[in-house]
Amino acid sequence: MRYSEMFLPTTKETPSDAEIASHQLMLRAGMIRKLAGGIYSYLPLGYRVIRKVENIVREEMNRAGAQEVLLPAVQPAELWMESGRWNMYGKELLRVRDRHNRDYCIGPTHEEVITALVRDEIQTYRQLPRNLYQIQTKFRDEIRPRFGIMRSREFGMKDAYSFDATEEGAEESYRKMFDAYNRIFTRCGLHFRPVEADSGNIGGSFSHEFMVTADSGEDAMVHCTSCQYAANLEKAECPRPKEGASQGAECLPLEEVHTPDVRTIEEVCAYLDVAPRDVVKTMIFMCDAKPVAVLVRGDEEINEAKLKNYLGCDSLELSMDDTILEVTGSPRGFAGPIGIKCRIIADHSLNGMENFVVGGNREDYHIKNCNSTRDFGTSEYADLRVIREGDMCPRCGGEISIVRGIEVGHVFKLGTKYSKAMNATFLDRDGKEKHMIMGCYGIGISRTVAACIEQSHDGDGIIWPMSIAPFHVIITPVNMKDEQISRAAEEMYERFVADGIEVILDDRDERAGVKFKDADLIGVPLRVTVGSRGLADGTVEVKFRQSGKVDKIPISTASDFVTGAITDV
Ligand code: ATP
Ligand code: MG
């Protein structure tokens, strides 16, 4: 492409509403423009990168045996009623009504559509396994779209769905996608890590998120500094303490203390002059409409995902004041385990713990010297807390570290959740009718592009890896008015195009400094500078955007040199 003809509106100023580097740079490099909150247009440069990522995804999905389809974006409500998600999905689902007053949604994901399609077309085990994927625009009415296309409302996703006849087959399908995802993100030049994620009632390690490490990431990534263990914060297991929390201290007698209007952990600590780890908080949850008291140490947090899995319930929420009053006999802020009228579950770290402070189940009172073994009406202990930096690794005992990450992909074994709800069955070898076992696998195409910029940029702009760069090389003639220079640049451009190199010729009548700035901003991996000094001895300068390395190359071999640099990676 000739720069002078391109639709490439770059800007010098950093847009004030863009908080993170990728958002700022995509706007400045003329890749995207906002149409409405969380809705963006892709300009030519941006769309070229999107297409590069899509092609890598497509190649690897095909290689893994998946077949490409394209499903409708607009989906009838009836399908979502069958799966039960029409009412469950909430406000992220954009609902629309047609002229006949029929309800539809704009697809945020496609489990319903694909399950209906496969249910109608597949009858026997001989037609299984199948894996179908598409690359398509999704719409989710995110409550807080932000960071440009990192978390937008309309975004590009690759979603794949596998259907198997057996558990082993489903696990194999999962593994193939897991491996394909590793290849995809490696080819996109990303530093990433698959982390174990919560798989709800499926259990096992059958859900992984692919996380790109970046300080601006919205997710916390837990990993061990000694072994390969990695999980997201929701899923990360805390090892069960060997001896419980007992310090071998003497159990002191219970003591009720007057604590007027002292409710939070901070207030209790300040008032009684104790540390948060010597206080136990009691939270009342409603688990499928039944109250449960959940206990963790004052310096820990309850992990609701782990709690929900442990309880095996469909719905879990914190109780309202009237339930708290009913089970504790006091208003909010004074709940404790002693004498409470509901099931009690405590985190492992409380097992054997001595002489700590709890709520008194009486307005304005707490109790000192509670001892779990002596005073609890329960011996129900479980892993319920949120893991913390420096904790012990649940696998090897090493040290846990927590870093920020961006979720770019997610693989999930669904089991029979949708095939049961929507009656997607097949006739097995033994002539019995069975539900297909499903998996679903998503990659945020647009988010992957943003994540790549987060990881790979500097003060001057984007630094594209060769594999997804919008162009491989930009030819920069330092002065278009100098006929010798412009002719040499034109000739080189023709040669590069003929050799299949994706090249921009910066034929603008601008100062060299302006051209260099734009080349750095849009992040083209190689820049070939054509100037009179080089031409005098028949050479050009090739500069690598990433390393800053500069090579002086004879004009006659420039195309070979560039081709080598492109295929080298
Ligand atoms: P998140 O927790 O970030 O909202 P999710 O768990 O809702 O993601 P999935 O339903 O697993 O995401 O979707 C598959 C992939 O689609 C994600 O891994 C992510 O890369 C991408 N994605 C999801 N929501 C968005 C969004 N609002 N904008 C851009 N990409 C998104
Ligand atoms: Mg989401």
Side-chain angles (χ1 to χ4, degrees):
M1 287 294 304
R2 287 168 191 280
Y3 204 128
S4 62
E5 295 169 4
M6 287 172 75
F7 184 55
L8 178 50
T10 59
T11 59
K12 277 201 215 58
E13 300 75 36
T14 301
S16 58
D17 58 340
E19 293 164 58
I20 61 171
S22 58
H23 189 192
Q24 294 168 354
L25 288 171
M26 289 181 98
L27 289 167
R28 286 192 51 210
M31 292 178 68
I32 56 168
R33 286 293 180 264
K34 180 168 157 181
L35 177 67
I39 303 179
Y40 286 84
S41 304
Y42 294 91
L43 279 49
L45 196 79
Y47 194 49
R48 282 183 78 100
V49 181
I50 293 280
R51 292 299 294 254
K52 292 265 171 109
V53 174
E54 286 181 0
N55 285 339
I56 291 175
V57 168
R58 194 171 271 123
E59 278 176 26
E60 294 300 340
M61 294 306 289
N62 293 345
R63 172 131 79 112
Q67 297 169 63
E68 189 166 7
V69 293
L70 184 58
L71 305 170
V74 177
Q75 310 179 9
E78 288 77 45
L79 275 184
W80 286 69
M81 289 173 184
E82 270 190 59
S83 72
R85 286 208 287 187
W86 186 254
N87 295 323
M88 293 286 284
Y89 210 92
K91 292 199 167 167
E92 258 186 40
L93 190 65
L94 183 67
R95 296 153 212 257
V96 290
R97 196 162 276 177
D98 72 4
R99 64 169 74 204
H100 306 292
N101 250 346
R102 291 193 196 105
D103 286 318
Y104 294 82
C105 67
I106 314 288
T109 175
H110 280 73
E111 281 82 6
E112 282 78 2
V113 175
I114 198 87
T115 307
L117 178 72
V118 169
R119 158 184 77 188
D120 293 344
E121 304 304 329
I122 286 186
Q123 280 87 36
T124 92
Y125 71 94
R126 283 192 214 90
Q127 297 165 288
L128 295 172
R130 288 290 180 271
N131 187 329
L132 302 171
Y133 78 97
Q134 64 171 342
I135 296 176
Q136 205 219 30
T137 301
K138 302 278 190 261
F139 196 96
R140 294 184 183 177
D141 203 354
E142 297 272 354
I143 184 163
R144 228 157 61 82
R146 58 192 174 280
F147 307 146
I149 59 167
M150 186 78 87
R151 179 171 299 282
S152 46
R153 296 197 295 166
E154 185 175 303
F155 60 94
M157 197 204 284
K158 184 285 301 177
D159 45 329
Y161 306 89
S162 64
F163 296 82
D164 274 273
T166 63
E167 286 294 336
E168 303 77 61
E171 286 164 25
E172 175 66 9
S173 295
Y174 183 90
R175 195 192 54 76
K176 279 188 187 154
M177 286 296 104
F178 185 89
D179 293 346
Y181 275 38
N182 276 307
R183 290 196 299 268
I184 288 166
F185 296 122
T186 303
R187 284 183 61 185
C188 289
L190 292 164
H191 301 287
F192 69 97
R193 198 195 272 269
V195 306
E196 289 178 23
D198 183 32
S199 52
N201 53 9
I202 307 275
S205 49
F206 285 112
S207 174
H208 287 87
E209 288 167 352
F210 285 77
M211 296 283 217
V212 165
T213 38
D215 290 339
S216 58
E218 290 183 280
D219 294 303
M221 247 165 86
V222 175
H223 69 98
C224 175
T225 52
S226 311
C227 76
Q228 290 299 311
Y229 180 72
N232 70 12
L233 202 60
E234 274 192 336
K235 164 84 178 180
E237 303 153 38
C238 302
R240 191 183 179 143
K242 276 200 190 71
E243 303 287 323
S246 171
Q247 311 269 313
E250 186 193 339
C251 296
L252 303 172
L254 288 176
E255 186 186 330
E256 197 180 46
V257 282
H258 189 216
T259 52
D261 212 24
V262 171
R263 292 162 199 268
T264 65
I265 294 292
E266 295 76 54
E267 287 164 359
V268 171
C269 289
Y271 194 81
L272 297 177
D273 193 22
V274 291
R277 59 172 299 133
D278 298 321
V279 181
V280 161
K281 52 184 168 194
T282 304
M283 314 270 281
I284 317 291
F285 283 87
M286 290 308 270
C287 156
D288 290 342
K290 273 211 190 92
V292 184
V294 183
L295 275 56
V296 287
R297 244 170 38 194
D299 59 336
E300 307 278 12
E301 293 299 327
I302 293 174
N303 181 327
E304 288 194 27
K306 289 201 271 190
L307 176 62
K308 190 162 179 227
N309 285 342
Y310 174 77
L311 292 167
C313 54
D314 290 327
S315 86
L316 182 75
E317 53 197 21
L318 279 169
S319 294
M320 301 297 206
D321 287 349
D322 52 346
T323 310
I324 294 176
L325 189 64
E326 202 175 297
V327 298
T328 69
S330 83
R332 186 183 292 276
F334 304 98
I338 301 174
I340 199 165
K341 292 198 254 9
C342 68
R343 177 178 173 190
I344 302 175
I345 313 169
D347 182 69
H348 280 315
S349 56
L350 269 60
N351 196 352
M353 192 171 154
E354 292 133 346
N355 303 327
F356 50 91
V357 176
V358 293
N361 290 329
R362 179 179 169 201
E363 182 161 12
D364 289 343
Y365 281 89
H366 279 78
I367 293 176
K368 278 164 74 169
N369 302 329
C370 180
N371 284 269
S372 56
T373 314
R374 181 189 67 191
D375 303 320
F376 278 18
T378 182
S379 53
E380 199 175 345
Y381 293 98
D383 173 16
L384 303 175
R385 70 178 177 90
V386 177
I387 201 163
R388 291 194 302 186
E389 180 86 28
D391 271 346
M392 230 210 291
C393 168
R395 296 285 180 275
C396 77
E399 195 175 308
I400 285 297
S401 169
I402 302 179
V403 294
R404 307 300 302 171
I406 300 165
E407 180 198 324
V408 287
H410 192 180
V411 291
F412 199 101
K413 185 176 170 208
L414 286 167
T416 53
K417 179 173 171 187
Y418 292 92
S419 49
K420 275 197 177 134
M422 299 181 64
N423 204 29
T425 60
F426 65 99
L427 274 187
D428 207 356
R429 228 173 266 274
D430 52 14
K432 287 208 183 95
E433 193 170 17
K434 292 184 182 153
H435 290 109
M436 299 179 203
I437 304 167
M438 292 174 58
C440 68
Y441 318 93
I443 290 182
I445 301 280
S446 35
R447 187 182 284 181
T448 298
V449 171
C452 181
I453 300 175
E454 277 309 309
Q455 257 189 359
S456 187
H457 68 271
D458 62 14
D460 297 322
I462 302 168
I463 305 174
W464 291 114
M466 194 62 84
S467 59
I468 63 170
F471 290 90
H472 299 137
V473 48
I474 181 163
I475 300 173
T476 313
V478 294
N479 179 4
M480 279 306 281
K481 292 211 176 81
D482 180 321
E483 213 163 287
Q484 203 198 357
I485 293 178
S486 60
R487 193 170 350 106
E490 288 280 353
E491 279 170 17
M492 184 174 293
Y493 174 66
E494 297 300 335
R495 173 74 197 271
F496 281 12
V497 171
D499 289 349
I501 297 168
E502 296 175 36
V503 54
I504 301 177
L505 171 65
D506 194 347
D507 58 346
R508 293 176 300 167
D509 191 14
E510 289 281 2
R511 281 183 295 111
V514 172
K515 296 184 179 185
F516 292 157
K517 273 213 152 47
D518 275 332
D520 282 350
L521 174 62
I522 66 177
V524 179
L526 299 169
R527 189 185 79 208
V528 179
T529 310
V530 184
S532 42
R533 214 173 325 136
L535 289 185
D537 60 1
T539 61
V540 286
E541 260 183 27
V542 182
K543 183 170 185 191
F544 291 76
R545 174 74 177 89
Q546 180 149 37
S547 63
K549 186 164 81 82
V550 180
D551 283 316
K552 231 177 152 183
I553 305 293
I555 296 179
S556 55
T557 61
S559 183
D560 292 344
F561 181 86
V562 167
T563 304
I566 294 167
T567 46
D568 226 22
V569 280

